Amino acid sequence: MTTVSLSPNGDFLTLDLSGQPCRFHAIWLRDNAQDSETRAPGNGQRLLALRDIPAETKLVAAEIAESKLQVSFAPEDKTVEFDLSWLAANAYDKAAPMEKGWLSEGVEPWDSGLMSDVPVGDFQDLAKGGPALRDWLGKVTRYGFGKIENGPTEDGALFDVVDLFGYVRETNYGRHFEVRTEVNPTNLAFTGLGLQAHTDNPYRDPVPTVQVLYCLESSAAGGENMVVDGFAAALRLRAENEAYFNVLAKYCARFEYAGDAETCLQSRRPMIELAPDGELIGVRFNNRSLGAVNDVPFEEMASYYAAYRRLGEIIDDEAMEVTFRLEPGEAFVVDNTRVLHARKAYSGAGTRWLQGCYADKDGLWSKFSALSAQFGG
Amino acid sequence: MTTVSLSPNGDFLTLDLSGQPCRFHAIWLRDNAQDSETRAPGNGQRLLALRDIPAETKLVAAEIAESKLQVSFAPEDKTVEFDLSWLAANAYDKAAPMEKGWLSEGVEPWDSGLMSDVPVGDFQDLAKGGPALRDWLGKVTRYGFGKIENGPTEDGALFDVVDLFGYVRETNYGRHFEVRTEVNPTNLAFTGLGLQAHTDNPYRDPVPTVQVLYCLESSAAGGENMVVDGFAAALRLRAENEAYFNVLAKYCARFEYAGDAETCLQSRRPMIELAPDGELIGVRFNNRSLGAVNDVPFEEMASYYAAYRRLGEIIDDEAMEVTFRLEPGEAFVVDNTRVLHARKAYSGAGTRWLQGCYADKDGLWSKFSALSAQFGG
């Protein structure tokens, strides 16, 4: 049985939710009232600003009936109802803060073990929307990447992928860019190095939060795509050496790109990005566009470089990577704030033509949430 | 005279730059070498990853000649040169860290005093590029907003403004949105409230970092546009009550928008955003889309709400605002991570037609930097 009691001065109430006492402030309850004078019934937008709510707001009555909490406020003389389930879901009277690097619910770090269960969707199914799209988007939000198979092999087909969940982020590289290479067997010796796994465009702020890479032709041997979970790499660094994790999160790196006279992109952001309360929310890793890091104090620079080196070693560890080969009509989508990607070296003769573009992940998460609300899940 | 000396074990050197001793680590110098084997001569991209540089890199020789520092590394047996001016500009052996809320050089907070000097550009001049565009973009980067006059009055003219510096960020609202109102004099009573100044789309992550609002028709009285510097508001809050500033920076708010069955945008970001080393880099303020804040511990929620209220009062203070009226062919651009905007109430009969769109500020800053490199400034 749920009970409620008011504090002596009406500043807060205590709700006993499944045996767990949980306090809510008067001002919080008033500001979050769900009635039609406070929130627009259609889109849920708040109709009041905090300036419209008296600073001295107190609770003067509270009672529970039929899974609802009814509360009355003074001096407004206003009574509103809350669903107990809504209060339970939005309770903020919690235990101690979590350790630095905590992950949002629904985000799961992975390593090469995911190779046997790469998140894949069939383009024809996804294009219908509904539960198939919900499931695939759910995997992309959980793992930060997803593969698509069985798509068209037409120039521009990558835009059909973006249409599934969002909008192209146009940049100085255009609405899309070409990754077209004629493989030249006489140059085989030079293809062995490959690119270190990286996130794209860290010199942009905001970075493009999603990248789509779509394969149109692929007759060359090799050229597999490889992805590494930057969150898993950061958490492994933390497990190995917490000071290394902390120094990469505490100081900003600098990234820059000046490809032509028209372009001079620069950013100042950390390699490991935490929300102010410690949630791990982003990874930037790109040796090619790292500028001169000059915001780390002299006393910590050696440690910073050692941490940067070790993070790179973890990223390079094959135990962290998932590889797959894109065939024509196949694509992959990565959360560019989290998952690093690379291309393995080519070998043999043939052609390889991919198209890439950027998009944003707020649209992707929004689509997933909307489909989940509509179809459950 | 500049002198240089090596540390006993070659881990770092000490440069005497204008009487200021300044230390640089061997690994930092090696990683930031400017030679053509380390950096691509064209675009400056680094050709090596840190894994290609030995962890045990030491300095074995250093000397100064003709404004350059020449250093040699072991075990690579590699010698490179640095311009002393480049080293001075990138020195990291600095004094104590700055206080929370420091601003990047070139960013200037403002209040209503800026009314007499609103950053304005003539569209015809700006469209030519060059110094005029550099100067106007420089003001936008400095103040976070700028006005444009003397532009075309055609449907879609706002895209010409975006073309000056970047690319449209398309969202679920489209590539642009209409702000078209038939003013109805019988409804005058309902126009008095106006909208509280706000940043747009805080429920998006990343938020659109630039907004353009372009006026095509404006025969109604009133409807002035108003902007408030969110950085100045945050710094005033800090000056008044540092604990208020800190609590809004330390905890994430929640923002959400679910306008239709297809859209369910949610974000978890602080109202005052600091880089990990304390730089003030963003403000999110929007009463309509603030969700239930549930990441603030019970013990700090009352203080959080008091801080949020006080920040709103500062934002509402006329001493903070700059107002101007947009006539047909005029537009304004705001840095949506910093400057809040609002529209004052209409009065009288007539029409008002504006078009708005979003873009990103990395392109704007890039264009400004590139023009500054080209034309000085």
Side-chain angles (χ1 to χ4, degrees):
Chain A
M1 192 184 140
T2 306
T3 61
V4 65
S5 62
L6 295 187
S7 69
N9 66 1
D11 269 1
F12 67 89
L13 59 75
T14 304
L15 205 59
D16 194 310
L17 284 164
S18 353
Q20 189 76 33
C22 203
R23 295 166 294 177
F24 294 89
H25 287 92
I27 190 68
W28 188 94
L29 290 166
R30 176 63 191 91
D31 191 41
N32 288 299
Q34 311 286 308
D35 65 297
S36 62
E37 290 173 351
T38 307
R39 289 266 185 190
N43 61 21
Q45 295 279 282
R46 188 184 281 96
L47 301 169
L48 304 178
L50 190 54
R51 65 186 177 189
D52 303 316
I53 300 173
E56 66 276 21
T57 293
K58 303 281 180 196
L59 293 159
V60 291
E63 66 178 284
I64 288 166
E66 290 174 16
S67 308
K68 286 181 192 296
L69 170 72
Q70 191 179 74
V71 289
S72 300
F73 303 100
E76 282 184 283
D77 190 20
K78 182 175 180 75
T79 299
V80 300
E81 279 185 347
F82 291 91
D83 284 333
L84 291 179
S85 58
W86 187 91
L87 288 170
N90 287 284
Y92 58 88
D93 191 3
K94 295 167 192 165
M98 289 185 271
E99 74 180 326
K100 275 186 196 177
W102 61 273
L103 294 179
S104 175
E105 208 183 341
V107 168
E108 193 175 321
W110 49 264
D111 60 18
S112 62
L114 192 63
M115 192 98 94
S116 57
D117 192 24
V118 169
V120 177
D122 180 280
F123 180 80
Q124 310 302 327
D125 289 343
L126 301 183
K128 292 176 196 142
L133 182 57
R134 173 203 61 197
D135 291 347
W136 183 77
L137 292 174
K139 288 177 192 165
V140 176
T141 61
R142 174 168 297 274
Y143 300 114
F145 83 104
K147 200 181 161 198
I148 290 183
E149 297 176 345
N150 201 23
T153 52
E154 291 148 25
D155 184 359
L158 81 172
F159 297 130
D160 298 337
V161 172
V162 175
D163 286 345
L164 294 173
F165 59 79
Y167 305 90
V168 168
R169 171 101 75 93
E170 188 173 352
T171 71
N172 54 304
Y173 302 123
R175 278 180 64 78
H176 81 284
F177 46 89
E178 303 286 342
V179 188
R180 192 165 200 165
T181 319
E182 293 288 325
V183 177
N184 176 354
T186 68
N187 272 347
L188 273 184
F190 301 98
T191 62
L193 288 175
L195 288 177
Q196 188 174 30
H198 58 277
T199 60
D200 263 31
N201 293 15
Y203 44 78
R204 212 178 281 287
D205 192 359
V207 298
T209 50
V210 167
Q211 181 176 182
V212 176
L213 210 58
Y214 199 105
C215 181
L216 292 171
E217 291 180 9
S218 177
S219 65
E224 288 86 2
N225 289 95
M226 185 260 273
V227 286
V228 173
D229 184 4
F231 283 2
L235 294 178
R236 183 171 151 194
L237 182 71
R238 185 185 70 178
E240 287 181 7
N241 188 324
E242 198 165 351
Y244 280 2
F245 177 89
N246 288 339
V247 78
L248 293 184
K250 183 174 176 188
Y251 294 107
C252 287
R254 300 235 180 193
F255 298 97
E256 54 191 32
Y257 178 74
D260 54 59
E262 301 292 304
T263 308
C264 185
L265 290 157
Q266 294 177 306
S267 73
R268 203 187 78 88
R269 290 279 188 170
M271 292 199 196
I272 295 177
E273 184 177 0
L274 305 178
D277 58 3
E279 184 193 0
L280 178 55
I281 57 172
V283 168
R284 287 171 184 79
F285 191 88
N286 190 316
N287 65 294
R288 284 168 296 152
S289 59
L290 183 70
V293 175
N294 54 19
D295 297 290
V296 178
F298 179 83
E299 289 69 23
E300 301 210 54
M301 187 62 91
S303 168
Y304 186 90
Y305 257 92
Y308 169 35
R309 179 180 296 274
R310 184 60 198 148
L311 179 59
E313 289 168 353
I314 291 171
I315 286 165
D316 290 341
D317 183 350
E318 288 188 3
M320 302 298 286
E321 74 182 46
V322 164
T323 58
F324 47 85
R325 193 183 152 80
L326 289 186
E327 300 297 339
E330 297 185 347
F332 77 93
V333 170
V334 288
D335 177 345
N336 188 52
T337 67
R338 169 183 174 187
V339 171
L340 298 81
H341 64 280
R343 189 205 63 213
K344 301 241 166 177
Y346 302 109
S347 63
T351 62
R352 188 170 182 269
W353 179 24
L354 288 88
Q355 292 183 320
C357 72
Y358 298 119
D360 278 303
K361 74 181 213 184
D362 55 352
L364 193 154
W365 285 71
S366 167
K367 188 80 181 183
F368 172 59
S369 298
L371 287 170
S372 297
Q374 205 177 343
F375 297 102
Chain B
M1 192 187 137
T2 305
T3 60
V4 64
S5 62
L6 294 187
S7 69
N9 66 1
D11 269 359
F12 66 91
L13 58 77
T14 303
L15 205 59
D16 195 306
L17 283 163
S18 352
Q20 187 77 33
C22 201
R23 295 165 292 177
F24 294 90
H25 287 93
I27 189 69
W28 188 95
L29 290 165
R30 176 62 192 92
D31 191 40
N32 288 298
Q34 311 285 308
D35 65 297
S36 63
E37 288 174 352
T38 306
R39 291 264 184 190
N43 60 23
Q45 295 279 283
R46 188 183 279 98
L47 299 169
L48 304 178
L50 189 55
R51 65 185 178 192
D52 302 316
I53 300 173
E56 65 278 19
T57 292
K58 304 279 181 199
L59 293 159
V60 290
E63 66 178 282
I64 289 167
E66 292 172 14
S67 308
K68 287 183 192 294
L69 170 72
Q70 191 179 75
V71 290
S72 300
F73 304 99
E76 281 184 282
D77 191 19
K78 184 176 178 75
T79 298
V80 300
E81 279 184 347
F82 292 91
D83 284 332
L84 291 179
S85 57
W86 187 92
L87 288 170
N90 287 284
Y92 57 89
D93 191 3
K94 295 168 192 165
M98 290 186 271
E99 74 179 326
K100 275 187 195 175
W102 61 274
L103 294 178
S104 174
E105 208 182 343
V107 167
E108 191 177 321
W110 49 264
D111 59 18
S112 61
L114 192 63
M115 192 98 93
S116 57
D117 193 25
V118 169
V120 176
D122 180 281
F123 180 80
Q124 310 303 325
D125 288 343
L126 301 182
K128 292 176 197 142
L133 182 57
R134 173 203 61 193
D135 292 346
W136 182 77
L137 292 174
K139 289 177 191 167
V140 176
T141 61
R142 175 167 297 275
Y143 300 115
F145 84 103
K147 201 182 161 196
I148 290 183
E149 297 175 345
N150 201 23
T153 53
E154 290 149 24
D155 184 359
L158 80 173
F159 297 130
D160 298 337
V161 172
V162 175
D163 285 345
L164 295 174
F165 59 80
Y167 305 91
V168 168
R169 170 100 75 92
E170 187 173 353
T171 69
N172 54 302
Y173 302 124
R175 277 179 66 77
H176 81 284
F177 47 89
E178 302 285 343
V179 189
R180 190 163 202 166
T181 318
E182 292 289 324
V183 178
N184 177 352
T186 69
N187 272 350
L188 274 186
F190 300 99
T191 62
L193 288 176
L195 289 177
Q196 188 174 31
H198 58 277
T199 60
D200 263 30
N201 295 16
Y203 43 78
R204 213 177 284 286
D205 193 358
V207 299
T209 50
V210 167
Q211 180 176 183
V212 176
L213 210 57
Y214 199 104
C215 180
L216 292 171
E217 292 179 10
S218 178
S219 65
E224 288 87 2
N225 289 97
M226 185 259 272
V227 287
V228 173
D229 182 4
F231 283 3
L235 294 178
R236 181 169 153 194
L237 183 70
R238 186 184 69 176
E240 287 182 7
N241 188 325
E242 198 165 350
Y244 280 4
F245 177 89
N246 288 339
V247 77
L248 293 183
K250 183 174 178 188
Y251 295 107
C252 287
R254 301 235 181 192
F255 297 96
E256 54 191 33
Y257 179 73
D260 54 58
E262 300 294 303
T263 309
C264 185
L265 290 157
Q266 295 178 305
S267 74
R268 202 186 79 88
R269 288 280 187 169
M271 291 199 195
I272 296 175
E273 185 175 1
L274 304 179
D277 57 4
E279 184 193 0
L280 178 54
I281 57 172
V283 168
R284 288 172 184 79
F285 191 87
N286 190 316
N287 65 293
R288 284 168 297 152
S289 59
L290 182 70
V293 175
N294 54 20
D295 296 290
V296 179
F298 179 83
E299 289 69 22
E300 300 210 55
M301 186 62 89
S303 168
Y304 186 89
Y305 257 92
Y308 169 35
R309 178 180 296 275
R310 184 61 198 148
L311 180 60
E313 288 168 353
I314 291 170
I315 286 165
D316 291 341
D317 183 351
E318 288 188 2
M320 302 298 287
E321 76 183 44
V322 163
T323 59
F324 48 84
R325 192 183 154 78
L326 290 186
E327 301 297 339
E330 297 186 348
F332 77 93
V333 170
V334 288
D335 175 345
N336 188 52
T337 67
R338 169 184 175 187
V339 170
L340 298 81
H341 64 279
R343 189 205 62 213
K344 301 239 164 177
Y346 301 109
S347 64
T351 61
R352 187 170 183 271
W353 179 23
L354 289 88
Q355 292 185 320
C357 74
Y358 298 119
D360 278 304
K361 72 182 212 183
D362 55 353
L364 192 154
W365 285 71
S366 167
K367 188 81 182 181
F368 172 59
S369 298
L371 287 170
S372 297
Q374 205 175 344
F375 298 100

